[in-house]
Amino acid sequence: MALPHRSRRARARHPRHLTRTAAALAAALALLSPLGAVGTAGVASAASAAGQETPAADVDVQVNTQAALGRLSGTARGVNAAVWDAHMNDPEVASLMKAAGVGAMRYPGGSYADIYHWETHTAPGGYVAPGTGFDAFMGTVRATGAQPILIANYGSGTPEEAAGWVRYANITKGYGAKLWEIGNEIYGNGHYGSGWEHDDHADKSPREYARQVRAYAAAMKAVDPTVKIGAVLTAPGNWPDGVVGEGDAGDWNHTVLSEVTDVIDFVSVHWYAGGSDTSADAALDRLSGLPGELREVRNQLDRYAGADSPRIGIALTEVNTNTGGAQLTARPNGLFAADAFMTALENGVFNVDWWNTHNGADRITTVDGETDYGDMGMLSSGGCTGTVCEPAPNTPFHPYHGMKMTSELGSAGDTMVAAASSARDVSAHAVHRRDGRLSVLLINKNPDAARSVGLTYAGFTPSAAAPRSAATRAATPASRTSPAAGRRRPGSPCRRTG
């Protein structure tokens, strides 16, 4: 199979060694039935493929269904939602997210969590859009069929305020909100010399954060013992990992984990590909480092939790190529989204949340002939940069389609299995479904060349029918001309606040 940028349907040619062709920079998905499970639709597809030339494979991908990488959770695919986003609870949002298999929605929005007071729906020093209160958000969560991930205010809040939120959410309203993080990126509170995260505590050390996590967990679980508490960690290899602050015995992760593993249920890390080249093409290549970083998180949990470590989950509650400004809405970032979601899930996380649902237009560029709005959102906010405006609000950008393709790969309860590619520029992901069928997702990260892929299998014998196949082929949304140059719509900030 080769993987197209303007993708077309790929066709299977042989039951045991499939060779597939397409063009550059694209993702393609094949769904294969096991031997003995060929339906009439599959026979028809095989017939339609008859007589077509089979290209020679230049990339080998082996799928091993006997090498399980874990089961997909109900909260595997998630998105962030922010109280400054005026379109956060548009009815279209729930419909789109449900169609993409979104199982988690994180609120109230990155760093805003540490200035946001849930009961008054206020964020002193920030902007709160109308209609974005907690109950309105839960309406969208329920319409999506998802679960909330809620960030308790650590920076300007208290354990008592967080416990009150648990009481309102789960006792008064019966929402059954289980996943609660204690703050957002608290390591960015200035303790290490760089500060973006609001923190009113006089002591901003990891030791104090750990002490407070214990207090928050005790207060919140006293209200509802079933809630799951998450502590904030830095992603290994990313600042300030390894930095030891003045008066500290260790860096952030080691200090926090040495004090809290008995009271937490998961840890939360954020991962932006970063680097001096902020293009999505470069970010796709840097994804190769994510598995090692996630393994190190688990190693740290093993060190401090011991035999209790498997009980503590890992959530990647923010992910994107970079933190704003360039190459974020075009096709390469859609491929990054698909690759990032599956790479993280295959390497031990139970939840991955894209930053953001809507974020706002920023630097305008042209990527492979289409306009890129520099917007970290999955959906358009309808905002403008100068005279160039995004398409209508809630128009999906390519990252949405990338995430949606992973939902076609598999759903909750299905088993991720090993898929090894012989080429660095072709990623492969596979899911063995509960009904016996096998899904394979192939991503060509080479912007200049088509690749032909030969698929072989261990532990699985496909039927003779052509697989059902699909490829990324989203229409490029049309930009608009701004009636008022330079005016940004309220509630659509063109910045990351995560």
Side-chain angles (χ1 to χ4, degrees), residues 385-442:
T385 295
T387 60
V388 179
C389 293
E390 294 182 342
N394 298 313
T395 300
F397 290 132
H398 286 288
Y400 169 83
H401 295 289
M403 178 182 66
K404 185 178 181 182
M405 181 162 274
T406 70
S407 73
E408 297 171 5
L409 183 63
S411 56
D414 292 338
T415 301
M416 298 171 286
V417 296
S421 170
S422 66
R424 182 179 175 84
D425 60 3
V426 173
S427 292
H429 305 281
V431 171
H432 200 190
R433 301 192 181 189
R434 287 164 293 172
D435 62 8
R437 294 181 298 167
L438 178 68
S439 300
V440 181
L441 175 64
L442 301 172

Short mmCIF file of all heavy atoms in Angstrom, two decimals, residues 385-442:
data_model
loop_
_atom_site.label_atom_id
_atom_site.label_comp_id
_atom_site.label_asym_id
_atom_site.label_seq_id
_atom_site.Cartn_x
_atom_site.Cartn_y
_atom_site.Cartn_z
N THR A 385 -7.01 36.23 11.22
CA THR A 385 -5.71 36.86 11.37
C THR A 385 -5.58 37.86 10.24
O THR A 385 -5.52 37.48 9.06
CB THR A 385 -4.56 35.83 11.30
OG1 THR A 385 -4.66 34.94 12.40
CG2 THR A 385 -3.21 36.54 11.33
N GLY A 386 -5.58 39.14 10.58
CA GLY A 386 -5.59 40.17 9.54
C GLY A 386 -6.84 40.04 8.69
O GLY A 386 -7.96 40.03 9.21
N THR A 387 -6.66 39.94 7.39
CA THR A 387 -7.79 39.84 6.48
C THR A 387 -8.16 38.41 6.15
O THR A 387 -9.09 38.17 5.37
CB THR A 387 -7.49 40.59 5.17
OG1 THR A 387 -6.34 40.01 4.56
CG2 THR A 387 -7.24 42.08 5.45
N VAL A 388 -7.43 37.44 6.70
CA VAL A 388 -7.71 36.03 6.41
C VAL A 388 -8.48 35.43 7.57
O VAL A 388 -8.03 35.48 8.72
CB VAL A 388 -6.42 35.24 6.18
CG1 VAL A 388 -6.72 33.77 5.92
CG2 VAL A 388 -5.64 35.83 5.00
N CYS A 389 -9.64 34.87 7.26
CA CYS A 389 -10.49 34.27 8.30
C CYS A 389 -10.63 32.78 8.09
O CYS A 389 -10.63 32.28 6.96
CB CYS A 389 -11.88 34.92 8.29
SG CYS A 389 -11.89 36.64 8.77
N GLU A 390 -10.75 32.08 9.18
CA GLU A 390 -11.00 30.65 9.13
C GLU A 390 -12.38 30.37 8.54
O GLU A 390 -13.23 31.27 8.47
CB GLU A 390 -10.94 30.08 10.55
CG GLU A 390 -9.57 30.14 11.18
CD GLU A 390 -9.53 29.52 12.56
OE1 GLU A 390 -10.61 29.35 13.17
OE2 GLU A 390 -8.43 29.21 13.03
N PRO A 391 -12.62 29.12 8.15
CA PRO A 391 -13.97 28.74 7.71
C PRO A 391 -14.96 28.85 8.86
O PRO A 391 -14.59 29.17 9.99
CB PRO A 391 -13.80 27.30 7.23
CG PRO A 391 -12.57 26.81 7.92
CD PRO A 391 -11.68 28.01 8.06
N ALA A 392 -16.21 28.55 8.59
CA ALA A 392 -17.28 28.69 9.58
C ALA A 392 -16.95 27.92 10.85
O ALA A 392 -16.28 26.88 10.81
CB ALA A 392 -18.59 28.19 9.00
N PRO A 393 -17.37 28.43 12.01
CA PRO A 393 -17.11 27.72 13.27
C PRO A 393 -17.53 26.26 13.22
O PRO A 393 -18.55 25.90 12.63
CB PRO A 393 -17.96 28.51 14.28
CG PRO A 393 -18.02 29.88 13.72
CD PRO A 393 -18.11 29.69 12.22
N ASN A 394 -16.68 25.43 13.83
CA ASN A 394 -16.88 23.99 13.95
C ASN A 394 -16.59 23.21 12.66
O ASN A 394 -16.85 22.01 12.60
CB ASN A 394 -18.28 23.65 14.48
CG ASN A 394 -18.50 24.21 15.86
OD1 ASN A 394 -17.65 24.07 16.73
ND2 ASN A 394 -19.62 24.89 16.06
N THR A 395 -16.03 23.89 11.65
CA THR A 395 -15.53 23.16 10.50
C THR A 395 -14.32 22.33 10.95
O THR A 395 -13.38 22.88 11.52
CB THR A 395 -15.09 24.11 9.38
OG1 THR A 395 -16.21 24.90 8.98
CG2 THR A 395 -14.55 23.35 8.18
N PRO A 396 -14.31 21.03 10.71
CA PRO A 396 -13.18 20.23 11.17
C PRO A 396 -11.89 20.56 10.41
O PRO A 396 -11.89 20.70 9.19
CB PRO A 396 -13.61 18.79 10.88
CG PRO A 396 -15.11 18.84 10.82
CD PRO A 396 -15.41 20.18 10.21
N PHE A 397 -10.80 20.68 11.16
CA PHE A 397 -9.48 20.74 10.58
C PHE A 397 -8.92 19.32 10.48
O PHE A 397 -9.50 18.37 11.01
CB PHE A 397 -8.55 21.61 11.43
CG PHE A 397 -8.89 23.08 11.40
CD1 PHE A 397 -8.98 23.80 12.59
CD2 PHE A 397 -9.09 23.75 10.20
CE1 PHE A 397 -9.27 25.17 12.57
CE2 PHE A 397 -9.39 25.11 10.17
CZ PHE A 397 -9.48 25.83 11.37
N HIS A 398 -7.77 19.17 9.84
CA HIS A 398 -7.23 17.83 9.61
C HIS A 398 -6.93 17.03 10.87
O HIS A 398 -7.12 15.81 10.87
CB HIS A 398 -6.00 17.92 8.71
CG HIS A 398 -6.35 18.23 7.29
ND1 HIS A 398 -6.96 17.32 6.45
CD2 HIS A 398 -6.21 19.36 6.56
CE1 HIS A 398 -7.16 17.87 5.26
NE2 HIS A 398 -6.73 19.11 5.31
N PRO A 399 -6.48 17.64 11.99
CA PRO A 399 -6.29 16.83 13.19
C PRO A 399 -7.56 16.10 13.64
O PRO A 399 -7.48 14.98 14.17
CB PRO A 399 -5.82 17.85 14.23
CG PRO A 399 -5.08 18.86 13.42
CD PRO A 399 -5.89 19.00 12.16
N TYR A 400 -8.71 16.70 13.41
CA TYR A 400 -9.96 16.01 13.76
C TYR A 400 -10.08 14.72 12.94
O TYR A 400 -10.43 13.66 13.47
CB TYR A 400 -11.17 16.92 13.50
CG TYR A 400 -12.49 16.17 13.57
CD1 TYR A 400 -13.11 15.94 14.79
CD2 TYR A 400 -13.10 15.68 12.42
CE1 TYR A 400 -14.30 15.23 14.87
CE2 TYR A 400 -14.30 14.98 12.48
CZ TYR A 400 -14.90 14.76 13.70
OH TYR A 400 -16.08 14.06 13.76
N HIS A 401 -9.80 14.83 11.64
CA HIS A 401 -9.93 13.64 10.78
C HIS A 401 -8.89 12.58 11.15
O HIS A 401 -9.16 11.37 11.06
CB HIS A 401 -9.80 14.05 9.31
CG HIS A 401 -10.91 14.94 8.84
ND1 HIS A 401 -12.20 14.49 8.67
CD2 HIS A 401 -10.92 16.25 8.53
CE1 HIS A 401 -12.97 15.50 8.27
NE2 HIS A 401 -12.21 16.58 8.18
N GLY A 402 -7.70 13.03 11.57
CA GLY A 402 -6.70 12.06 12.02
C GLY A 402 -7.16 11.31 13.25
O GLY A 402 -7.02 10.08 13.33
N MET A 403 -7.71 12.04 14.23
CA MET A 403 -8.24 11.37 15.41
C MET A 403 -9.40 10.45 15.05
O MET A 403 -9.50 9.31 15.55
CB MET A 403 -8.71 12.40 16.44
CG MET A 403 -9.31 11.77 17.69
SD MET A 403 -9.93 12.97 18.90
CE MET A 403 -11.30 13.71 17.99
N LYS A 404 -10.26 10.91 14.17
CA LYS A 404 -11.42 10.09 13.79
C LYS A 404 -10.98 8.78 13.14
O LYS A 404 -11.60 7.74 13.35
CB LYS A 404 -12.33 10.88 12.85
CG LYS A 404 -13.62 10.15 12.50
CD LYS A 404 -14.51 10.99 11.60
CE LYS A 404 -15.81 10.26 11.29
NZ LYS A 404 -16.67 11.05 10.36
N MET A 405 -9.91 8.83 12.35
CA MET A 405 -9.44 7.61 11.71
C MET A 405 -9.01 6.59 12.76
O MET A 405 -9.19 5.38 12.58
CB MET A 405 -8.31 7.90 10.74
CG MET A 405 -7.81 6.65 10.02
SD MET A 405 -6.85 6.99 8.53
CE MET A 405 -8.17 7.13 7.31
N THR A 406 -8.47 7.03 13.89
CA THR A 406 -8.09 6.07 14.93
C THR A 406 -9.31 5.40 15.54
O THR A 406 -9.23 4.26 16.01
CB THR A 406 -7.25 6.73 16.04
OG1 THR A 406 -8.06 7.61 16.82
CG2 THR A 406 -6.06 7.48 15.47
N SER A 407 -10.45 6.08 15.53
CA SER A 407 -11.67 5.46 16.04
C SER A 407 -12.16 4.37 15.08
O SER A 407 -12.81 3.41 15.51
CB SER A 407 -12.77 6.50 16.26
OG SER A 407 -13.32 6.96 15.04
N GLU A 408 -11.85 4.50 13.80
CA GLU A 408 -12.20 3.46 12.83
C GLU A 408 -11.25 2.27 12.95
O GLU A 408 -11.57 1.16 12.54
CB GLU A 408 -12.16 4.04 11.42
CG GLU A 408 -13.19 5.15 11.21
CD GLU A 408 -13.02 5.88 9.88
OE1 GLU A 408 -12.17 5.45 9.08
OE2 GLU A 408 -13.73 6.87 9.66
N LEU A 409 -10.07 2.52 13.53
CA LEU A 409 -9.11 1.44 13.74
C LEU A 409 -9.59 0.49 14.83
O LEU A 409 -9.42 -0.73 14.71
CB LEU A 409 -7.75 2.05 14.13
CG LEU A 409 -6.56 1.13 14.33
CD1 LEU A 409 -6.21 0.41 13.03
CD2 LEU A 409 -5.37 1.91 14.84
N GLY A 410 -10.18 1.03 15.90
CA GLY A 410 -10.67 0.18 16.97
C GLY A 410 -11.37 0.99 18.03
O GLY A 410 -11.23 2.21 18.10
N SER A 411 -12.13 0.31 18.87
CA SER A 411 -12.90 0.98 19.92
C SER A 411 -12.65 0.30 21.26
O SER A 411 -11.88 -0.66 21.36
CB SER A 411 -14.39 0.98 19.58
OG SER A 411 -14.86 -0.34 19.37
N ALA A 412 -13.32 0.79 22.29
CA ALA A 412 -13.09 0.30 23.65
C ALA A 412 -13.21 -1.22 23.73
O ALA A 412 -14.18 -1.80 23.25
CB ALA A 412 -14.06 0.96 24.61
N GLY A 413 -12.22 -1.85 24.35
CA GLY A 413 -12.22 -3.30 24.51
C GLY A 413 -11.44 -4.04 23.44
O GLY A 413 -11.09 -5.21 23.63
N ASP A 414 -11.16 -3.39 22.31
CA ASP A 414 -10.34 -4.01 21.27
C ASP A 414 -8.88 -3.99 21.69
O ASP A 414 -8.44 -3.12 22.46
CB ASP A 414 -10.51 -3.28 19.94
CG ASP A 414 -11.91 -3.45 19.35
OD1 ASP A 414 -12.60 -4.42 19.73
OD2 ASP A 414 -12.31 -2.62 18.51
N THR A 415 -8.09 -4.91 21.15
CA THR A 415 -6.70 -5.08 21.56
C THR A 415 -5.73 -4.51 20.54
O THR A 415 -5.75 -4.91 19.36
CB THR A 415 -6.38 -6.57 21.79
OG1 THR A 415 -7.27 -7.09 22.80
CG2 THR A 415 -4.95 -6.76 22.24
N MET A 416 -4.89 -3.60 20.97
CA MET A 416 -3.80 -3.11 20.12
C MET A 416 -2.72 -4.18 20.03
O MET A 416 -2.40 -4.81 21.03
CB MET A 416 -3.23 -1.81 20.70
CG MET A 416 -4.22 -0.67 20.77
SD MET A 416 -3.59 0.76 21.69
CE MET A 416 -3.69 0.13 23.39
N VAL A 417 -2.20 -4.38 18.82
CA VAL A 417 -1.17 -5.40 18.63
C VAL A 417 0.02 -4.80 17.89
O VAL A 417 -0.09 -3.74 17.28
CB VAL A 417 -1.73 -6.62 17.86
CG1 VAL A 417 -2.81 -7.32 18.66
CG2 VAL A 417 -2.26 -6.21 16.48
N ALA A 418 1.14 -5.51 17.95
CA ALA A 418 2.38 -4.99 17.37
C ALA A 418 2.29 -4.94 15.85
O ALA A 418 1.80 -5.87 15.20
CB ALA A 418 3.55 -5.86 17.80
N ALA A 419 2.79 -3.84 15.29
CA ALA A 419 2.90 -3.69 13.84
C ALA A 419 4.26 -3.04 13.57
O ALA A 419 4.48 -1.89 13.94
CB ALA A 419 1.77 -2.84 13.29
N ALA A 420 5.16 -3.78 12.95
CA ALA A 420 6.54 -3.32 12.74
C ALA A 420 6.74 -2.95 11.28
O ALA A 420 6.45 -3.73 10.38
CB ALA A 420 7.53 -4.40 13.15
N SER A 421 7.23 -1.72 11.05
CA SER A 421 7.50 -1.23 9.70
C SER A 421 9.00 -1.24 9.44
O SER A 421 9.80 -0.89 10.32
CB SER A 421 6.96 0.19 9.53
OG SER A 421 7.40 0.77 8.31
N SER A 422 9.39 -1.60 8.23
CA SER A 422 10.80 -1.61 7.87
C SER A 422 11.32 -0.23 7.50
O SER A 422 12.52 -0.05 7.31
CB SER A 422 11.05 -2.57 6.70
OG SER A 422 10.40 -2.10 5.52
N ALA A 423 10.43 0.76 7.39
CA ALA A 423 10.83 2.11 6.96
C ALA A 423 10.51 3.12 8.05
O ALA A 423 9.41 3.11 8.61
CB ALA A 423 10.12 2.49 5.66
N ARG A 424 11.45 4.01 8.33
CA ARG A 424 11.24 5.04 9.35
C ARG A 424 10.12 6.00 8.97
O ARG A 424 9.43 6.54 9.85
CB ARG A 424 12.55 5.81 9.57
CG ARG A 424 12.48 6.87 10.65
CD ARG A 424 13.83 7.56 10.81
NE ARG A 424 13.76 8.65 11.77
CZ ARG A 424 13.88 8.53 13.08
NH1 ARG A 424 14.08 7.34 13.58
NH2 ARG A 424 13.81 9.58 13.88
N ASP A 425 9.92 6.22 7.67
CA ASP A 425 8.92 7.20 7.25
C ASP A 425 7.54 6.60 7.02
O ASP A 425 6.64 7.27 6.52
CB ASP A 425 9.38 7.97 6.00
CG ASP A 425 9.64 7.06 4.81
OD1 ASP A 425 9.42 5.84 4.92
OD2 ASP A 425 10.07 7.58 3.76
N VAL A 426 7.35 5.36 7.40
CA VAL A 426 6.02 4.73 7.34
C VAL A 426 5.70 4.17 8.72
O VAL A 426 6.40 3.28 9.22
CB VAL A 426 5.94 3.62 6.28
CG1 VAL A 426 4.59 2.88 6.38
CG2 VAL A 426 6.12 4.19 4.89
N SER A 427 4.66 4.71 9.35
CA SER A 427 4.21 4.20 10.65
C SER A 427 3.09 3.19 10.44
O SER A 427 2.30 3.32 9.51
CB SER A 427 3.68 5.34 11.53
OG SER A 427 4.71 6.22 11.90
N ALA A 428 3.05 2.21 11.30
CA ALA A 428 2.01 1.19 11.23
C ALA A 428 1.41 0.95 12.61
O ALA A 428 2.14 0.87 13.61
CB ALA A 428 2.57 -0.11 10.67
N HIS A 429 0.10 0.87 12.67
CA HIS A 429 -0.61 0.57 13.91
C HIS A 429 -1.69 -0.46 13.60
O HIS A 429 -2.31 -0.41 12.52
CB HIS A 429 -1.25 1.84 14.48
CG HIS A 429 -0.28 2.96 14.69
ND1 HIS A 429 0.58 3.00 15.77
CD2 HIS A 429 -0.02 4.07 13.95
CE1 HIS A 429 1.32 4.09 15.69
NE2 HIS A 429 0.98 4.76 14.60
N ALA A 430 -1.94 -1.36 14.52
CA ALA A 430 -2.91 -2.42 14.26
C ALA A 430 -3.74 -2.70 15.51
O ALA A 430 -3.25 -2.58 16.64
CB ALA A 430 -2.21 -3.69 13.80
N VAL A 431 -4.99 -3.07 15.28
CA VAL A 431 -5.92 -3.43 16.35
C VAL A 431 -6.63 -4.72 15.98
O VAL A 431 -7.20 -4.84 14.88
CB VAL A 431 -6.95 -2.31 16.59
CG1 VAL A 431 -8.03 -2.78 17.56
CG2 VAL A 431 -6.26 -1.05 17.13
N HIS A 432 -6.58 -5.71 16.89
CA HIS A 432 -7.30 -6.96 16.71
C HIS A 432 -8.65 -6.81 17.42
O HIS A 432 -8.69 -6.72 18.65
CB HIS A 432 -6.49 -8.11 17.31
CG HIS A 432 -6.90 -9.44 16.78
ND1 HIS A 432 -6.46 -10.63 17.31
CD2 HIS A 432 -7.71 -9.81 15.74
CE1 HIS A 432 -6.97 -11.66 16.66
NE2 HIS A 432 -7.74 -11.18 15.70
N ARG A 433 -9.70 -6.76 16.65
CA ARG A 433 -11.02 -6.48 17.22
C ARG A 433 -11.61 -7.69 17.91
O ARG A 433 -11.24 -8.83 17.63
CB ARG A 433 -11.96 -5.98 16.12
CG ARG A 433 -11.46 -4.71 15.44
CD ARG A 433 -12.53 -4.11 14.59
NE ARG A 433 -12.05 -2.90 13.91
CZ ARG A 433 -12.84 -2.07 13.24
NH1 ARG A 433 -14.15 -2.32 13.15
NH2 ARG A 433 -12.35 -1.00 12.66
N ARG A 434 -12.55 -7.41 18.78
CA ARG A 434 -13.18 -8.49 19.56
C ARG A 434 -13.92 -9.47 18.67
O ARG A 434 -14.09 -10.63 19.04
CB ARG A 434 -14.14 -7.88 20.58
CG ARG A 434 -13.44 -7.20 21.75
CD ARG A 434 -14.39 -6.30 22.52
NE ARG A 434 -14.80 -5.16 21.70
CZ ARG A 434 -15.74 -4.30 22.04
NH1 ARG A 434 -16.40 -4.46 23.17
NH2 ARG A 434 -16.04 -3.29 21.26
N ASP A 435 -14.37 -9.04 17.48
CA ASP A 435 -15.08 -9.96 16.58
C ASP A 435 -14.12 -10.75 15.69
O ASP A 435 -14.56 -11.48 14.80
CB ASP A 435 -16.09 -9.19 15.72
CG ASP A 435 -15.44 -8.15 14.81
OD1 ASP A 435 -14.19 -8.12 14.72
OD2 ASP A 435 -16.18 -7.37 14.18
N GLY A 436 -12.82 -10.62 15.93
CA GLY A 436 -11.84 -11.40 15.17
C GLY A 436 -11.21 -10.67 14.01
O GLY A 436 -10.18 -11.10 13.48
N ARG A 437 -11.81 -9.56 13.57
CA ARG A 437 -11.25 -8.82 12.45
C ARG A 437 -10.01 -8.03 12.87
O ARG A 437 -9.82 -7.74 14.05
CB ARG A 437 -12.30 -7.88 11.85
CG ARG A 437 -13.48 -8.60 11.21
CD ARG A 437 -14.48 -7.62 10.62
NE ARG A 437 -15.05 -6.75 11.63
CZ ARG A 437 -15.76 -5.65 11.37
NH1 ARG A 437 -15.97 -5.29 10.12
NH2 ARG A 437 -16.25 -4.92 12.35
N LEU A 438 -9.19 -7.72 11.89
CA LEU A 438 -7.94 -6.99 12.13
C LEU A 438 -7.95 -5.68 11.36
O LEU A 438 -8.23 -5.65 10.16
CB LEU A 438 -6.75 -7.85 11.69
CG LEU A 438 -5.36 -7.22 11.83
CD1 LEU A 438 -5.00 -7.06 13.31
CD2 LEU A 438 -4.31 -8.07 11.12
N SER A 439 -7.64 -4.58 12.06
CA SER A 439 -7.53 -3.27 11.43
C SER A 439 -6.07 -2.86 11.40
O SER A 439 -5.36 -3.03 12.40
CB SER A 439 -8.33 -2.21 12.20
OG SER A 439 -9.70 -2.54 12.25
N VAL A 440 -5.63 -2.30 10.28
CA VAL A 440 -4.26 -1.83 10.14
C VAL A 440 -4.27 -0.40 9.62
O VAL A 440 -4.94 -0.10 8.62
CB VAL A 440 -3.45 -2.73 9.18
CG1 VAL A 440 -2.01 -2.23 9.08
CG2 VAL A 440 -3.48 -4.18 9.62
N LEU A 441 -3.58 0.49 10.31
CA LEU A 441 -3.45 1.89 9.92
C LEU A 441 -2.01 2.14 9.49
O LEU A 441 -1.08 1.86 10.25
CB LEU A 441 -3.82 2.81 11.09
CG LEU A 441 -3.62 4.32 10.87
CD1 LEU A 441 -4.55 4.83 9.77
CD2 LEU A 441 -3.86 5.08 12.16
N LEU A 442 -1.83 2.65 8.27
CA LEU A 442 -0.52 2.95 7.72
C LEU A 442 -0.42 4.44 7.46
O LEU A 442 -1.34 5.04 6.90
CB LEU A 442 -0.28 2.18 6.43
CG LEU A 442 -0.37 0.65 6.54
CD1 LEU A 442 -0.30 0.03 5.16
CD2 LEU A 442 0.73 0.11 7.43
#
